[in-house]
């Protein structure tokens, strides 16, 4: 890092961030993107001069600047970065006496700077830390401290990232239960585009990221900048373009009225806001993935192939049936068996029992030991479904402690899925849940918890404080997860939330994977997994093979499509395979073997997506770090207007290396609607990465909803 008193330059992994410390109000990022190389102190100072705008007619005498915390006191006339007051007073802070502390964080070669300023009038201190990590990912966090003698109510404190003027198109995601992370695009015009999540969790309809780029940017090309908020509660992400030629992305926690009141001496730190950039979304994604994989909490062992019982048996917990299912799982190569909902007191359906975390003696008269022992004797890990944050009003816990339920005005919120939500910020609730799950983990050989969260929060108030409690509940959740893992270091935890309604890097700092969606229809999963994968690497994405008929869409698909779409993720099975005949078990086992063969490649390599001109097809792959091996899946999603289809091109390879291209098991040989053989599948071809990227190869003729694997090895 190079610095002087007026300008700072952070550099890492092809990224430069230049910060002007002289801008009115607070420092500003004047460049975030391509590495600018070694710059002298005078060159950095000249960059700051070059970025200063002129005064214009009808404007302020001091032109407004886009700072890290844009403020009205410095002339910013759009959404301020900081909003709050002391009962209506001290509503417009103006920080001065800036201090900048430069330092290098040892972990992952990250470069950082901390900026600290004080407003003596409002008696607030603002500290901002910018960290450029070893992946070139920009982290931004603010800490606001109340130095005054009275309470200060914070409304919002947002991280602000400037984007270049070429960013004229926005991409974010929306969705619903069973269809999360569906992409949507629109022109980035003057004004503000805001995506709020008010569900107490990000929600199925929330955006995982907000990207701004050159019009038509795709995965392979187009300059694009994107932000993600690592937070598991209410949040706001926004994009804004002003008439003053400013373009920006913002991200921060969304607070309810009165939710965050800083007493004298108290501080609030924003969630980690992460910014990535690159030529195409694949480059943006690579920075997220590399950064996540470098975290100390990232799983270091191979992700076990998981057999989950939910879509196999639902609430029908019969020991003999479950034992047969476990036997079949071991037969096909599963490494983890997860007993889903229905094992605890009073839980015959989803209307009762949540909160009563004791093994049901009617269903399990000998406890869980018989099924745990059976599973572990087969060489598999045992996992258990739990939903600690939730409670049914028809439960012993709710009857004993109705005051433990999040509520407002002395009334319970509208129910969702016949359940309410516990107040984890209440110490009594926290202690009860910690005791219950710690006891279960001590009693049984449980290696894995599927931690569910099956409803949105409404009127989420605490009976202890009388205030909104989403913020405090999320922090308590993180603490509970960490404490359980500290007491049981080998424990892994999955974050599930009505499927994929709590997917963020905040929850993934405390868990080991997310359940990507309750929908495992492979056609739906193509989109869901693609846009989840922009931020979340494959090894943290639960991806299971369902039965022949999808439980969520009713569509029927061949095993090759169901398994092929799930193949690169944290692979598993969600299907009653106990009744399958040997031939079908062997076929499933071949897919489990295929996953194990490519598991290291998929979970350490680079995820790439081809921008095919024919939208009827999908081509995606994983490329090894040394670019010596790649595996692609080609899916004919719908029928094409071209017949036979055109060529397909392969991104991510080394232009100057030669590769052999061939179909890969278990999708060989090629069978479909083609009337002759496909030449390159009969006679292996050797082509350079440049040829494969530019000219490509002829796509196979397939029926709609068919998939083939393509192996590419460097010669």
């Amino acid at each position: 890092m190079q610095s002087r008193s007026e300008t700072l330059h952070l550099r890492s992994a092809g990224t430069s961030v230049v910060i002007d410390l002289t801008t009115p109000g607070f420092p500003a990022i004047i460049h975030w993107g391509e590495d600018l190389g070694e710059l002298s102190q005078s060159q950095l100072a000249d960059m700051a001069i070059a970025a200063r705008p002129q005064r214009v007619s009808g404007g302020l005498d001091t032109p407004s600047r886009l700072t890290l915390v844009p403020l009205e006191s410095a002339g910013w006339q759009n959404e301020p970065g900081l909003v709050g007051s002391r009962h209506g007073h001290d509503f417009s802070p103006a920080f001065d006496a800036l201090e900048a502390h430069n330092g290098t964080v040892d972990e992952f070669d990250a470069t950082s700077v901390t900026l600290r300023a004080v407003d003596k009038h409002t008696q607030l201190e603002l500290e901002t830390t910018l960290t450029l990590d070893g992946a070139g990912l920009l982290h931004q966090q603010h800490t606001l401290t109340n130095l005054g003698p009275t309470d200060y109510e914070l409304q919002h404190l947002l991280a602000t990232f400037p984007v270049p003027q070429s960013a004229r198109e926005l991409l974010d995601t929306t969705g619903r239960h069973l269809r999360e992370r569906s992409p949507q695009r629109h022109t980035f015009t003057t004004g503000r585009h805001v995506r709020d999540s008010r569900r107490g969790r990000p929600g199925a309809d929330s955006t995982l990221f907000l990207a701004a780029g050159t019009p038509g940017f795709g995965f392979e090309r187009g300059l694009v900048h994107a932000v993600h908020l690592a937070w598991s509660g209410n949040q706001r992400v926004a994009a804004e373009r002003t008439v003053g030629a400013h373009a920006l992305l913002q991200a921060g926690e969304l607070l309810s009225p009165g939710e965050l009141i800083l007493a004298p001496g108290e501080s609030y730190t924003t969630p980690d806001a992460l910014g990535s950039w690159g030529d195409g979304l694949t480059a943006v994604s690579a920075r997220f993935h590399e950064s996540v994989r470098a975290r100390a909490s990232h799983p270091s062992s191979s992700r076990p192939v998981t057999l989950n019982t939910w879509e196999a048996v639902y609430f029908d917990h019969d020991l003999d049936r479950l034992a047969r299912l476990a036997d079949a799982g071991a037969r096909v190569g599963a490494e983890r068996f997860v007993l889903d909902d229905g094992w605890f007191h009073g839980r015959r359906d989803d209307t009762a029992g949540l909160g009563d975390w004791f093994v049901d003696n009617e269903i399990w008269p000998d406890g869980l030991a018989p099924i745990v022992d059976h599973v572990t004797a087969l060489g598999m890990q045992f996992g258990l479904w739990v939903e600690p944050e939730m409670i049914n009003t028809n439960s012993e816990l709710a009857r004993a402690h109705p005051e433990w339920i999040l509520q407002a005005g002395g009334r319970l919120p509208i129910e969702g899925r016949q359940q309410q939500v516990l107040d984890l910020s209440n110490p009594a609730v926290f202690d009860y849940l910690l005791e219950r799950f710690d006891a279960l983990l001590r009693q049984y050989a449980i290696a894995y918890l599927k931690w569910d969260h099956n409803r949105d929060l409404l009127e989420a108030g605490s009976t202890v404080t009388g205030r909104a409690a989403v913020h405090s509940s999320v922090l308590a959740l993180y603490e509970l997860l960490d404490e359980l893992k500290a007491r049981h270091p080998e424990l892994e935890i999955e974050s599930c939330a009505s499927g994929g309604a709590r997917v963020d890097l905040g929850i993934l700092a405390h868990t080991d994977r997310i359940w990507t969606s309750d929908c495992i229809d492979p056609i739906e999963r193509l989109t869901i997994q693609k846009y989840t994968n922009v931020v979340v690497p494959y090894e943290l994405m639960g991806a299971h093979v369902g039965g022949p008929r999808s439980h969520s869409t009713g569509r029927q698909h061949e095993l090759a499509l169901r398994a092929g779409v799930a193949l690169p993720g944290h692979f598993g099975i969600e299907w009653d395979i106990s009744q399958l005949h040997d031939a079908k078990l062997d076929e499933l086992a071949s897919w489990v073997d295929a996953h194990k063969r490519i598991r290291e490649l998929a979970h350490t390599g680079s995820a790439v997506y081809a921008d095919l001109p024919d939208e009827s097809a999908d081509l995606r792959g994983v490329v090894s770090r040394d670019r010596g091996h790649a595996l692609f899946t080609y899916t004919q999603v719908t029928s094409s207007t071209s017949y036979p289809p055109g060529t397909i091109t392969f991104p991510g390879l080394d232009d100057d290396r030669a590769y052999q291209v061939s179909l890969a098991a278990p999708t060989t040989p090629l069978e479909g609607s083609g009337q002759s053989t496909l030449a390159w599948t009969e006679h292996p071809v050797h082509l350079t990465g440049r040829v494969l990227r530019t000219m490509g190869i002829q796509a196979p003729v397939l029926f709609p909803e068919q998939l083939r694997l393509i192996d590419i090895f460097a010669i």
Side-chain angles (χ1 to χ4, degrees):
M1 176 172 58
Q2 300 171 337
S3 68
R4 60 175 293 171
S5 58
E6 297 88 6
T7 316
L8 303 175
H9 186 193
L10 311 182
R11 296 178 65 202
S12 178
T15 298
S16 277
V17 176
V18 180
I19 307 158
D20 183 357
L21 302 182
T22 69
T23 49
F26 207 66
I29 294 176
I30 58 175
H31 173 81
W32 166 42
E34 183 178 350
D35 186 6
L36 300 177
E38 294 286 342
L39 295 173
S40 67
Q41 293 181 347
S42 63
Q43 288 173 319
L44 290 169
D46 286 348
M47 283 185 65
I49 294 171
R52 294 173 190 165
Q54 289 179 277
R55 186 176 64 178
V56 295
S57 63
L60 300 173
D61 289 347
T62 300
S64 66
R65 301 289 300 276
L66 176 60
T67 66
L68 287 162
V69 184
L71 297 170
E72 190 175 353
S73 59
W76 185 253
Q77 295 179 292
N78 296 281
E79 185 73 22
L82 168 61
V83 176
S85 73
R86 300 182 194 274
H87 303 288
H89 299 280
D90 296 337
F91 64 90
S92 182
F95 294 99
D96 55 18
L98 178 74
E99 297 178 4
H101 301 278
N102 308 341
T104 298
V105 179
D106 291 334
E107 183 179 1
F108 199 34
D109 298 324
T111 303
S112 68
V113 60
T114 297
L115 309 167
R116 184 179 295 109
V118 174
D119 179 2
K120 294 180 181 178
H121 177 75
T122 61
Q123 296 181 287
L124 297 172
E125 179 186 78
L126 181 62
E127 180 178 285
T128 295
T129 298
L130 299 175
T131 301
L132 194 59
D133 70 23
L137 194 69
L138 178 60
H139 301 246
Q140 187 176 157
Q141 283 190 289
H142 301 302
T143 297
L144 185 71
T145 301
N146 179 11
L147 302 178
T150 60
D151 290 347
Y152 181 86
E153 180 180 344
L154 179 64
Q155 291 180 240
H156 75 230
L157 180 52
L158 304 175
T160 300
F161 297 80
V163 295
Q165 288 297 302
S166 62
R168 294 285 172 172
E169 184 172 84
L170 297 176
L171 167 68
D172 59 12
T173 65
T174 183
R176 58 168 173 82
H177 182 226
L178 304 175
R179 202 175 190 274
E180 301 89 338
R181 285 167 294 288
S182 178
Q184 57 182 15
R185 290 176 180 258
H186 62 84
T187 305
F188 189 4
T189 55
T190 300
R192 189 167 175 83
H193 174 68
V194 181
R195 295 296 310 278
D196 284 352
S197 172
R198 300 176 181 270
R199 299 174 181 270
R201 57 185 186 177
D205 64 332
S206 70
T207 186
L208 181 62
F209 60 90
L210 178 56
T214 55
F217 68 86
F219 278 81
E220 294 188 63
R221 59 191 63 88
L223 180 62
V224 58
H225 290 68
V227 296
H228 167 79
L229 189 70
W231 180 245
S232 309
N234 292 339
Q235 55 185 262
R236 167 170 291 170
V237 293
E240 188 164 15
R241 183 180 296 280
T242 76
V243 294
H246 301 296
L248 62 104
L249 300 174
Q250 286 183 321
E253 185 178 4
L254 183 64
L255 298 166
S256 295
E259 183 170 13
L260 213 154
I261 297 176
L262 296 177
E266 283 190 336
S267 298
Y268 163 76
T269 299
T270 61
D272 196 9
L274 311 175
S276 184
W277 75 280
D279 184 12
L281 284 168
T282 292
V284 169
S285 178
R287 296 190 191 280
F288 281 119
H289 294 183
E290 186 176 356
S291 180
V292 169
R293 285 169 173 169
R295 300 189 304 187
S297 61
H298 194 70
S300 58
S301 61
S302 295
R303 306 291 74 224
V305 174
T306 299
L307 172 60
N308 193 75
T309 66
W310 178 243
E311 290 195 11
V313 303
Y314 292 104
F315 288 103
D316 183 14
H317 281 207
D318 175 80
L319 176 58
D320 290 340
R321 183 180 182 186
L322 289 166
R324 290 194 299 272
L325 183 60
D327 292 341
R331 158 89 156 73
V332 300
E335 297 160 310
R336 174 182 286 160
F337 180 94
V338 180
L339 181 66
D340 213 285
D341 197 357
W343 58 269
F344 50 96
H345 181 65
R347 190 66 166 176
R348 302 285 71 76
D349 55 34
D350 63 2
T351 66
L354 282 175
D356 298 339
W357 298 109
F358 302 86
V359 177
D360 192 298
N361 291 328
E362 291 185 14
I363 302 301
W364 296 99
D366 298 315
L368 296 179
I371 187 62
V372 174
D373 292 345
H374 186 85
V375 166
T376 55
L378 291 168
M380 292 188 290
Q381 297 177 4
F382 180 82
L384 192 65
W385 179 94
V386 297
E387 194 172 5
E389 298 156 83
M390 301 296 158
I391 185 171
N392 290 122
T393 52
N394 183 11
S395 66
E396 298 299 329
L397 186 67
R399 285 184 279 272
H401 292 288
E403 77 281 4
W404 285 7
I405 299 173
L406 288 171
Q407 56 192 277
R411 65 181 181 278
L412 293 181
I414 298 170
E415 285 198 346
R417 204 173 180 259
Q418 297 86 45
Q419 62 195 52
Q420 298 287 357
V421 186
L422 289 169
D423 178 11
L424 265 66
S425 68
N426 182 333
V429 176
F430 185 97
D431 291 345
Y432 168 76
L433 294 174
L434 178 59
E435 184 278 328
R436 278 290 76 225
F437 293 107
D438 181 51
L440 285 165
L441 292 166
R442 291 182 186 279
Q443 183 176 2
Y444 300 109
I446 299 171
Y448 176 86
L449 292 177
K450 180 181 178 181
W451 189 293
D452 217 336
H453 181 289
N454 273 317
R455 66 154 290 174
D456 294 330
L457 275 61
L458 287 171
E459 298 187 299
S462 171
T463 61
V464 176
T465 65
R467 302 208 308 248
V470 172
H471 170 79
S472 56
S473 291
V474 172
L475 294 179
L477 168 65
Y478 291 166
E479 183 181 353
L480 180 58
L481 293 166
D482 289 348
E483 180 61 26
L484 285 172
K485 297 191 79 172
R487 294 186 182 190
H488 306 276
E490 302 304 315
L491 177 69
E492 291 194 358
I493 301 176
E494 172 187 84
S495 172
C496 178
S498 309
R502 187 161 64 189
V503 172
D504 63 89
L505 296 184
I507 198 69
L508 278 169
H510 307 274
T511 58
D512 301 282
R513 80 170 201 172
I514 51 95
W515 182 227
T516 315
S517 176
D518 278 345
C519 179
I520 50 177
D521 177 314
I523 296 299
E524 300 293 331
R525 274 290 186 123
L526 282 171
T527 299
I528 294 169
Q529 292 177 188
K530 181 177 186 177
Y531 287 93
T532 303
N533 191 220
V534 170
V535 173
V536 182
Y538 275 129
E539 63 269 25
L540 301 181
M541 293 168 50
H544 290 187
V545 181
R549 182 177 183 274
S550 169
H551 288 217
S552 55
T553 66
R555 288 192 291 226
Q556 298 188 51
H557 297 108
E558 296 177 355
L559 179 57
L561 182 68
R562 285 149 39 218
V565 170
L567 195 69
H570 187 169
F571 191 79
I573 302 162
E574 196 93 14
W575 177 15
D576 185 2
I577 61 173
S578 64
Q579 304 299 317
L580 298 183
H581 53 74
D582 285 345
K584 186 57 71 174
L585 286 172
D586 289 343
E587 185 183 1
L588 177 58
S590 71
W591 280 100
V592 174
D593 288 343
H595 169 75
K596 290 177 179 178
R597 285 199 307 271
I598 64 96
R599 180 162 51 187
E600 182 177 358
L601 166 67
H603 296 173
T604 62
S606 300
V608 296
Y609 294 85
D611 293 323
L612 298 180
D614 186 347
E615 295 183 355
S616 73
D618 179 275
L619 181 69
R620 62 187 64 187
V622 284
V623 182
S624 65
R625 295 179 69 88
D626 65 0
R627 291 191 286 181
H629 177 210
L631 179 76
F632 283 82
T633 58
Y634 174 75
T635 306
Q636 189 67 53
V637 184
T638 64
S639 60
S640 173
T641 56
S642 301
Y643 194 62
T647 56
I648 51 177
T649 54
F650 297 84
L653 303 172
D654 186 332
D655 273 359
D656 297 320
R657 296 177 76 175
Y659 294 90
Q660 178 172 299
V661 184
S662 61
L663 289 177
T667 61
T668 50
L670 179 64
E671 295 174 351
S673 57
Q675 300 297 299
S676 67
T677 60
L678 182 59
W680 66 262
T681 68
E682 298 292 314
H683 306 283
V685 292
H686 297 167
L687 302 169
T688 65
R690 183 176 286 103
V691 169
L692 288 167
R693 177 176 59 82
T694 56
M695 187 194 85
I697 61 174
Q698 181 65 44
V701 177
L702 299 176
F703 290 119
E705 302 186 359
Q706 286 192 332
L707 172 148
R708 290 297 181 269
L709 302 179
I710 300 173
D711 248 337
I712 301 180
F713 282 98
I715 300 172

